[in-house]
Amino acid sequence: MRLLEHRQRIVDAVESVESARIGLKKIYRGIDPIIDRICDLVLPWYAVPEGVTRPIIICLWGMTGTGKTSLDRKRDV
């Protein structure tokens, strides 16, 4: 890929992740730091997947009914 194509892919990925971050914060109130951490962990993989040399594991844990599964399944944000 050319440099400009890489830049555009990174810009698109950042915009997409930031849009998801804002959407998730509107839906899930009170877990903003968790949403920020998840988005920060996903961004490098999403922007430059060939640069990730180790697997990215995100473990969601907490009490029953706190929205872990809902957060994981939310695809249309």
Side-chain angles (χ1 to χ4, degrees):
M1 269 187 159
R2 300 182 127 168
L3 181 60
L4 292 176
E5 292 171 351
H6 279 293
R7 281 186 183 168
Q8 188 59 44
R9 185 176 69 179
I10 291 170
V11 167
D12 293 343
V14 169
E15 289 175 357
S16 180
V17 170
E18 290 304 315
S19 173
R21 182 186 313 250
I22 292 167
L24 288 169
K25 285 182 178 182
K26 287 180 183 176
I27 296 168
Y28 301 101
R29 304 228 181 243
I31 60 169
D32 290 359
I34 295 163
I35 292 170
D36 288 336
R37 287 186 67 192
I38 292 170
C39 289
D40 291 344
L41 288 168
V42 168
L43 181 59
W45 170 81
Y46 194 62
V48 189
E50 62 273 359
V52 177
T53 58
R54 291 191 259 168
I56 297 172
I57 299 170
I58 300 171
C59 179
L60 298 175
W61 63 275
M63 298 286 292
T64 303
T66 57
K68 298 178 299 291
T69 301
S70 176
L71 180 64
D72 177 57
R73 291 183 179 169
K74 195 70 178 163
R75 303 285 186 231
D76 59 348
V77 174

